Amino acid sequence: MPLYTLVTQKGTLDQAAKARLAKQLTSFHAEYAGVPQNWVHVVFQDFPPGDGFTAGEPAPAAALTLLIRSGRSAEYKKGLLLQLWSIFQTATGAPDDQIVIGIQEVSPSQAMEMGQIMPDVAE
């Protein structure tokens, strides 16, 4: 059920870069979490220049949000964030002050994939 949503200014990532990043995130997450690759979903959203802001000023901000099942440890999530920062920054070339990454958690009983209610996380 991992769902990655990546938001960048139009032109930051071309189609080939998006495809490479989607494969990289999929491989990384499958290995890190010990889940099949077909559980990992990646969606890109672009915004036009002038529609992104940092500190109230126009900027090509880059955001990555990851939706996962709740139940993972704080250390697991910290390690995940550190790796995602590196992957995302390398792909976008964005400076630290233009990147934001967040993990959102949902109870397994409130999520479905492949027509099934998600099981609890087994750590």
Side-chain angles (χ1 to χ4, degrees):
M1 101 145 274
L3 171 60
Y4 285 87
T5 303
L6 297 91
V7 181
T8 56
Q9 181 173 282
K10 186 173 180 76
T12 300
L13 300 168
D14 63 18
Q15 286 306 115
K18 288 177 182 179
R20 282 191 305 273
L21 183 51
K23 285 185 183 291
Q24 187 177 15
L25 289 170
T26 299
S27 294
F28 162 70
H29 195 102
E31 184 177 321
Y32 190 84
V35 299
Q37 288 194 5
N38 67 330
W39 285 14
V40 182
H41 307 277
V42 180
V43 176
F44 292 91
Q45 298 176 339
D46 296 327
F47 59 87
D51 280 4
F53 295 82
T54 296
E57 298 296 324
L64 182 154
T65 304
L66 171 59
L67 180 65
I68 60 172
R69 293 177 289 164
S70 58
R72 298 287 190 178
S73 71
E75 281 302 309
Y76 172 93
K77 291 179 278 190
K78 180 179 177 182
L80 187 59
L81 284 169
L82 291 171
Q83 289 296 319
L84 291 176
W85 188 277
S86 177
I87 291 168
F88 193 48
Q89 188 169 49
T90 299
T92 62
D96 285 348
D97 68 340
Q98 296 298 312
I99 298 176
V100 62
I101 296 178
I103 296 174
Q104 295 179 328
E105 296 180 279
V106 63
S107 169
S109 66
Q110 297 173 353
M112 289 186 72
E113 187 168 43
M114 294 182 246
Q116 303 292 316
I117 303 287
M118 298 297 293
D120 288 338
V121 170
E123 269 197 292

